[in-house]
Amino acid sequence: MSFNQLKLTNQLCHRLYMASNSIVRAYRELLHALNITYPQYVVMMALWEQDKITIAELLEKTAIDGGAMTQILKKMVDKCLLEIVKDHQDKRKRLVQLTKQGQALKLKAVDIPNEIGCKFESINSEQADQLMRLLDLVISDLRV
Amino acid sequence: MSFNQLKLTNQLCHRLYMASNSIVRAYRELLHALNITYPQYVVMMALWEQDKITIAELLEKTAIDGGAMTQILKKMVDKCLLEIVKDHQDKRKRLVQLTKQGQALKLKAVDIPNEIGCKFESINSEQADQLMRLLDLVISDLRV
DNA sequence: ATATGTTAATTTGCATGCAAAGTATTTGCA
DNA sequence: TGCAAATACTTTGCATGCAAATTAACATAT
């Protein structure tokens, strides 16, 4: 691998780091009205799609760290967005379930994707698609 | 914008979030031997390229948050990797300068880019280049 | 049936990322 | 000259991300 490519890889990683921070910052602004953070929004998205799933399934869907998830869910319970109930089949497991408030928040969040989409002025549908495919390669390569 | 594209944008953001976390995790492993974190490595990269610059310039180069930078530099001073000296021209400014140890670490870090590069098995040079260009668009669009 | 290993979650400790408030300095302008 | 606005940083408080250690509950092999 050439020197230039080595430098490219380093720069690529730095760009990914910058882009991710930018994304979270952009969402922060929009989510402020809903009083949730980006990781909390990701959790809500997962639950709006499929409610009453185990924490393990939620971890799988969101790719959020397990240790962080415990804290995040705790805060969301405090906000009355969801509740955590025991699984009587397997007492190790716990099920995450939206409250009425949590379900209702979906309506308030309906414009978020559009508002985020509007920020991507210079990226068209094909580029977004391509970017997504490339990111999947990165994620897949880095998965041990 | 169609529903599918809205969903795509959301997924794109999530992928960026996942990819960035994966990158930092991958570096963590490699940087463990050097006893520094990824943001600290980014600071070192900037200083190896140009030493004795102001904190503002370092913020510009690294895209690290100002509040975080103060803490990061403090830890790096504790590790004797760099020192912070006053700028006599403008007493508001402070200059960041590598110590001998900080300079010497460059040699130990010489293989890092290659080791990271090796992890990207399924991405060739052109794809990396393209990914970088797309990320620049994202970063640019999200910059207020 | 019991010891061992595996799973599902939580806890802890450390390092950011970021907004907002605070502290010096320096500039710019009336 | 004098003072408000702009700069360059630091501090504080809150929310993760992650590794490592723990706890509780299943699974399995012997």
Side-chain angles (χ1 to χ4, degrees):
Chain A
M1 199 184 260
S2 72
F3 172 75
N4 282 332
Q5 175 135 13
L6 291 182
K7 182 144 191 179
L8 175 67
T9 304
N10 253 328
Q11 289 181 345
L12 180 58
C13 292
H14 191 227
R15 292 295 205 292
L16 272 166
Y17 163 83
M18 288 170 69
S20 174
N21 286 341
S22 300
I23 297 268
V24 173
R25 214 176 308 137
Y27 270 104
R28 182 189 311 268
E29 204 180 317
L30 299 177
L31 293 173
H32 186 260
L34 306 190
N35 189 33
I36 56 175
T37 64
Y38 180 63
Q40 289 170 18
Y41 174 67
V42 172
V43 167
M44 292 305 286
M45 295 276 288
L47 291 173
W48 285 329
E49 194 175 298
Q50 191 187 353
D51 200 359
K52 198 162 187 175
I53 58 181
T54 65
I55 294 183
E57 289 169 322
L58 200 49
L59 290 175
E60 172 68 23
K61 284 194 173 207
T62 61
I64 290 173
D65 171 72
M69 183 63 87
T70 299
Q71 311 304 320
I72 291 172
L73 290 178
K74 199 173 288 176
K75 292 190 181 78
M76 295 176 80
V77 168
D78 289 345
K79 291 179 193 171
C80 298
L81 294 176
L82 51 83
E83 49 194 15
I84 299 175
V85 300
K86 290 180 184 172
D87 181 332
H88 296 294
Q89 262 65 51
D90 187 336
K91 289 180 181 170
R92 289 171 305 180
K93 298 183 183 176
R94 299 173 71 194
L95 296 167
V96 183
Q97 192 172 211
L98 289 172
T99 60
K100 295 277 180 196
Q101 271 187 56
Q103 289 166 18
L105 198 66
K106 187 173 184 175
L107 291 177
K108 277 200 214 165
V110 76
D111 284 335
I112 301 280
N114 185 41
E115 292 177 290
I116 282 290
C118 287
K119 290 182 187 280
F120 293 127
E121 285 181 354
S122 56
I123 296 180
N124 64 36
S125 183
E126 287 133 56
Q127 287 173 317
D129 216 64
Q130 189 164 30
L131 178 48
M132 190 123 112
R133 278 197 298 274
L134 290 169
L135 290 174
D136 280 340
L137 291 182
V138 169
I139 293 165
S140 164
D141 277 350
L142 294 182
R143 186 156 26 217
V144 190
Chain B
M1 201 184 261
S2 71
F3 171 75
N4 281 332
Q5 173 136 17
L6 291 182
K7 183 146 190 181
L8 174 66
T9 304
N10 254 326
Q11 289 181 345
L12 180 59
C13 292
H14 191 227
R15 292 295 204 293
L16 271 165
Y17 163 83
M18 289 170 68
S20 174
N21 286 342
S22 300
I23 296 270
V24 173
R25 215 176 308 135
Y27 270 104
R28 182 189 312 269
E29 203 181 316
L30 299 178
L31 293 174
H32 186 259
L34 307 191
N35 189 33
I36 56 176
T37 65
Y38 180 64
Q40 289 169 18
Y41 174 66
V42 172
V43 167
M44 292 306 285
M45 294 277 287
L47 291 173
W48 285 328
E49 193 175 299
Q50 190 186 352
D51 199 359
K52 198 163 188 176
I53 58 180
T54 66
I55 293 182
E57 289 170 321
L58 200 50
L59 289 174
E60 171 70 23
K61 284 194 172 206
T62 60
I64 291 174
D65 171 73
M69 184 62 87
T70 299
Q71 311 304 322
I72 291 171
L73 291 179
K74 199 173 290 178
K75 291 191 182 75
M76 296 176 80
V77 167
D78 289 345
K79 291 178 194 170
C80 298
L81 294 175
L82 50 83
E83 48 193 16
I84 299 175
V85 299
K86 290 179 183 172
D87 181 332
H88 296 295
Q89 262 66 52
D90 187 336
K91 289 180 181 171
R92 288 171 305 182
K93 298 183 183 176
R94 299 173 72 196
L95 296 166
V96 183
Q97 193 174 208
L98 290 172
T99 60
K100 294 279 180 194
Q101 270 188 55
Q103 290 167 16
L105 198 67
K106 187 172 185 177
L107 291 178
K108 277 200 214 165
V110 75
D111 283 336
I112 301 282
N114 185 42
E115 291 176 292
I116 282 290
C118 287
K119 291 183 186 279
F120 294 126
E121 284 181 356
S122 56
I123 296 180
N124 63 38
S125 183
E126 285 133 57
Q127 287 173 316
D129 216 64
Q130 189 164 29
L131 179 48
M132 190 123 114
R133 278 197 297 275
L134 290 169
L135 290 174
D136 280 340
L137 291 181
V138 169
I139 293 165
S140 164
D141 277 350
L142 294 181
R143 184 152 29 213
V144 189

